[in-house]
Amino acid sequence: MLGFTSKELMGSTPVFCVEFEWGGRVHRYATHNITLQSNDGPLQYLPSIMEFDFVESADLTSINVEANIVSMGLIMDDVDLLERWSQGDTIEGMDAEFFYVLMRYDVAQQDFEDRVVLYRGQIQEPQFGDPNQFHQLVSISIEAQPYDSNRLLMDSNKYIDTRYPNRHIDTSDGKPYPIILGSPGGLIRTTAGTTKNIHALPSYCVHTHDASNDARFMVAGHPITATSAVIHDDKYDTDTKTIQFDDDGRGNIYAYIELDTSDDVAIPGSTVNGESREWWVYMTGGGGLVNPFGDGDLQGAGDICRWALQRSGQIIDDGAWANLAPILNQYNFEGYINDPKITAWSWLNGNILPFLPITVRMGPNGLRPVLIQMWALTHVTSMASITVDDDSNVTQVSPINTIRSTSQLMNQFTLRWGKRGYDQEYTSMVRVTNIKSEDYDVVSDYSIISVNRYGVKPMAMDSDYIYDRDTAIKVSMDMVRSRCLPINTIEVDVDMELGWLQVGDVLDVTAPKIYLTNHKMIIISKRWRGTHWRWELAFEMNPRQ
């Protein structure tokens, strides 16, 4: 929720408005009678919103992209709802926008173009015609357009078939064109002083060797930035070859290497170097898919999220993702995608999002990330300092609740990474813990605090897309940081003037009644209560403030 400044809010009243097009004209309603100037002239909003409920929230413990919803009651004096309904004309499914502006002395302080949009969606389940209510009253919900999680990530027309008449049928036929992210494998640093050489990417023979042609192996189903590839067969014989490009006859560019009998690697069509059923490569001189959002190849987590979400077909707030990209791109993810049945959202939600310090929510402009600053940043800058007390402009209205208990904690985290191609085993490990006992251990102050309080609570995860030790450590430290302490919440009523603070902002909170002084809390929900805001604040009992 983008908002107004503290100065703009001082002495003002928020006016909440809804508008939707129905029956050939735009219907405009508000909580107060108000006229907004616009580039198309004055717009009149009738004082017809009787009540409404809207909560903007960010879930710290899971991702629920359909969490927010708007509900309201309207008096639609300007139309006969029942007559229109009897004619088969209903507002169900109409696109609607919910927003607010500020009013002072009965005058709007903003033009229409400067409104703060809170939500966009479709009108669902209108209720009207209640014999015990005014006949023009209608209750509606505005919900985000049904979330489409079924769009496939890979192009179903890109697979190895008869367009490659000399393909190796036994090992390549029907294989999808692999998508390559970054440059997985090669020489990777597994601990502070140890390296390993990993062939991580599959390669498919699309042309067997014959008297006139070398064997051709596809390494990527798209243009890539790498210049060469190191290939090995299942006998572990290797060769380094220059990457070339060709068209598959249907306008699709793919990357390949060529091998002949003078090389060491076994190839279909010849038994000079033996036989093989699998070939695995790593690339040098660059990486895989070209980054559509910046220089080089696509491997930064922020850019990968944008890329995958755009392929999902879902409406996304690309500006919000772009703004957060500099932080998220500090996490590098590399690997290959060759599952033709996986959806874009399932792949992203299963392989990338669980390792990032964000939650994802549906905003007015589509899916957007919310950075969980308390866990994501080494030095968190608080947006404001507030005092919660009876004679303050912030008043506690709920008990202290717990949304993550000690039974749900984790303070020792093991990440297995660096997946090898031929046996699909993870070659490397990072463990964030309280005491270093192995070369792959990294000590965390938060692990020490939590283990001392609650004992060792271990957890382990695997990643198919991490080949960089710095990313492995960063992800593992984030995991411990985000799950090592219980999460408590309180609800507070807040004066209008603090409405500029947003969900996700970190505050320094002094609350004498619960013995907290300058304690960091994060706003996880925000709701308008008619005359004031109500926030839900989340916090940890964390000595490292």
Side-chain angles (χ1 to χ4, degrees):
M1 180 194 296
L2 297 178
F4 300 109
T5 66
S6 178
K7 184 177 179 181
E8 289 173 319
L9 289 165
M10 188 71 68
S12 299
T13 299
V15 178
F16 295 87
C17 308
V18 65
E19 65 174 42
F20 52 89
E21 186 172 352
W22 180 45
R25 71 181 182 88
V26 178
H27 295 258
R28 298 184 173 94
Y29 308 105
T31 52
H32 297 73
N33 187 22
I34 194 169
T35 299
L36 298 182
Q37 299 301 317
S38 76
N39 294 337
D40 298 321
L43 304 175
Q44 180 67 39
Y45 289 79
L46 301 177
S48 299
I49 298 179
M50 304 304 295
E51 57 184 14
F52 73 89
D53 187 35
F54 173 70
V55 180
E56 186 188 25
S57 62
D59 195 329
L60 296 183
T61 57
S62 64
I63 292 177
N64 182 359
V65 298
E66 298 176 329
N68 296 333
I69 191 171
V70 181
S71 59
M72 67 179 66
L74 297 173
I75 300 291
M76 296 180 64
D77 282 331
D78 55 340
V79 64
D80 192 325
L81 284 170
L82 290 174
E83 181 183 14
R84 295 281 288 273
W85 170 79
S86 69
Q87 298 168 352
D89 192 6
T90 175
I91 60 175
E92 172 86 26
M94 295 295 103
D95 290 334
E97 180 180 285
F98 183 63
F99 65 92
Y100 84 108
V101 295
L102 299 178
M103 182 174 67
R104 190 179 298 152
Y105 306 117
D106 295 327
V107 177
Q109 300 300 297
Q110 291 80 32
D111 293 342
F112 176 79
E113 286 74 23
D114 297 322
R115 70 198 185 281
V116 173
V117 178
L118 301 176
Y119 208 66
R120 291 189 178 100
Q122 294 179 338
I123 295 175
Q124 301 292 326
E125 301 177 352
Q127 298 179 12
F128 54 94
D130 187 337
N132 298 316
Q133 297 285 348
F134 184 66
H135 76 284
Q136 296 299 78
L137 174 67
V138 56
S139 297
I140 64 171
S141 296
I142 302 174
E143 301 180 17
Q145 295 183 14
Y147 184 70
D148 180 11
S149 60
N150 297 318
R151 183 78 65 88
L152 296 177
L153 179 61
M154 303 190 73
D155 189 334
S156 61
N157 294 314
K158 292 183 178 181
Y159 58 94
I160 299 171
D161 58 5
T162 54
R163 73 192 87 177
Y164 303 95
N166 296 308
R167 67 197 180 280
H168 190 227
I169 296 293
D170 290 347
T171 62
S172 299
D173 190 49
K175 297 291 188 182
Y177 289 13
I179 297 173
I180 310 301
L181 302 175
S183 183
L187 196 65
I188 67 171
R189 183 167 55 96
T190 58
T191 64
T194 307
T195 59
K196 289 182 181 179
N197 207 37
I198 299 173
H199 293 72
L201 302 173
S203 185
Y204 305 125
C205 182
V206 295
H207 195 297
T208 60
H209 179 270
D210 57 36
S212 304
N213 299 279
D214 294 338
R216 178 179 289 196
F217 288 81
M218 179 185 291
V219 296
H222 51 77
I224 59 179
T225 65
T227 57
S228 61
V230 181
I231 186 170
H232 84 62
D233 56 24
D234 56 18
K235 303 182 287 77
Y236 309 113
D237 291 326
T238 66
D239 270 299
T240 302
K241 291 294 180 178
T242 299
I243 290 174
Q244 304 177 64
F245 300 95
D246 200 359
D247 188 302
D248 68 354
R250 300 182 187 178
N252 303 307
I253 303 297
Y254 67 95
Y256 70 93
I257 57 174
E258 289 186 330
L259 294 164
D260 62 30
T261 55
S262 65
D263 296 313
D264 295 328
V265 173
I267 54 177
S270 171
T271 59
V272 172
N273 294 314
E275 296 182 354
S276 181
R277 300 286 299 177
E278 292 183 15
W279 294 266
W280 294 87
V281 305
Y282 65 83
M283 301 184 298
T284 61
L289 198 68
V290 177
N291 187 1
F293 311 108
D295 298 331
D297 55 277
L298 184 64
Q299 60 180 289
D303 293 338
I304 289 174
C305 288
R306 295 173 70 187
W307 169 78
L309 287 169
Q310 287 182 359
R311 295 175 78 91
S312 75
Q314 181 63 31
I315 299 173
I316 68 170
D317 189 341
D318 193 61
W321 286 98
N323 289 339
L324 210 52
I327 293 176
L328 298 183
N329 283 343
Q330 296 175 32
Y331 302 79
N332 290 330
F333 289 85
E334 305 169 275
Y336 67 93
I337 305 168
N338 69 344
D339 182 352
K341 296 182 179 180
I342 197 165
T343 66
W345 175 253
S346 294
W347 179 83
L348 188 65
N349 198 33
N351 295 287
I352 307 298
L353 294 179
F355 301 100
L356 298 177
I358 61 173
T359 184
V360 179
R361 56 172 293 272
M362 183 65 75
N365 298 317
L367 288 178
R368 65 185 299 265
V370 176
L371 183 70
I372 305 177
Q373 296 183 50
M374 286 201 306
W375 301 337
L377 305 179
T378 304
H379 302 288
V380 179
T381 301
S382 299
M383 294 297 295
S385 296
I386 63 172
T387 298
V388 180
D389 211 347
D390 292 342
D391 57 356
S392 172
N393 57 353
V394 183
T395 306
Q396 183 179 342
V397 294
S398 78
I400 299 172
N401 296 306
T402 301
I403 61 174
R404 183 169 64 207
S405 66
T406 56
S407 64
Q408 299 168 303
L409 299 184
M410 179 274 291
N411 51 34
Q412 185 186 80
F413 180 76
T414 301
L415 178 66
R416 294 179 287 264
W417 58 282
K419 192 173 185 179
R420 186 166 48 209
Y422 73 90
D423 60 3
Q424 298 291 284
E425 292 291 329
Y426 299 97
T427 64
S428 306
M429 183 185 299
V430 164
R431 182 173 64 183
V432 172
T433 184
N434 61 319
I435 299 174
K436 183 178 178 67
S437 59
E438 303 288 348
D439 288 343
Y440 51 75
D441 284 342
V442 179
V443 175
S444 162
D445 289 343
Y446 289 103
S447 179
I448 294 172
I449 293 169
S450 182
V451 169
N452 287 342
R453 288 183 182 179
Y454 311 110
V456 176
K457 294 180 177 291
M459 175 182 172
M461 292 178 68
D462 305 328
S463 173
D464 292 355
Y465 292 91
I466 294 179
Y467 287 84
D468 169 59
R469 185 170 184 264
D470 290 340
T471 294
I473 291 174
K474 190 172 181 61
V475 164
S476 300
M477 294 288 277
D478 287 349
M479 285 291 185
V480 168
R481 173 65 190 90
S482 64
R483 304 186 187 194
C484 67
L485 296 170
I487 299 177
N488 300 118
T489 65
I490 56 171
E491 291 186 356
V492 293
D493 283 348
V494 182
D495 281 1
M496 172 68 188
E497 287 76 8
L498 291 174
W500 62 276
L501 291 162
Q502 310 301 322
V503 168
D505 284 346
V506 175
L507 310 175
D508 286 328
V509 178
T510 295
K513 285 187 176 181
I514 56 176
Y515 300 97
L516 296 179
T517 302
N518 290 327
H519 199 87
K520 283 188 167 50
M521 300 189 183
I522 185 171
I523 303 173
I524 62 171
S525 75
K526 183 177 180 180
R527 163 185 273 156
W528 179 249
R529 299 286 293 175
T531 59
H532 58 272
W533 300 101
R534 177 162 292 178
W535 295 344
E536 186 175 13
L537 302 176
F539 61 98
E540 304 163 319
M541 296 309 293
N542 175 16
R544 287 177 56 85
Q545 288 285 305

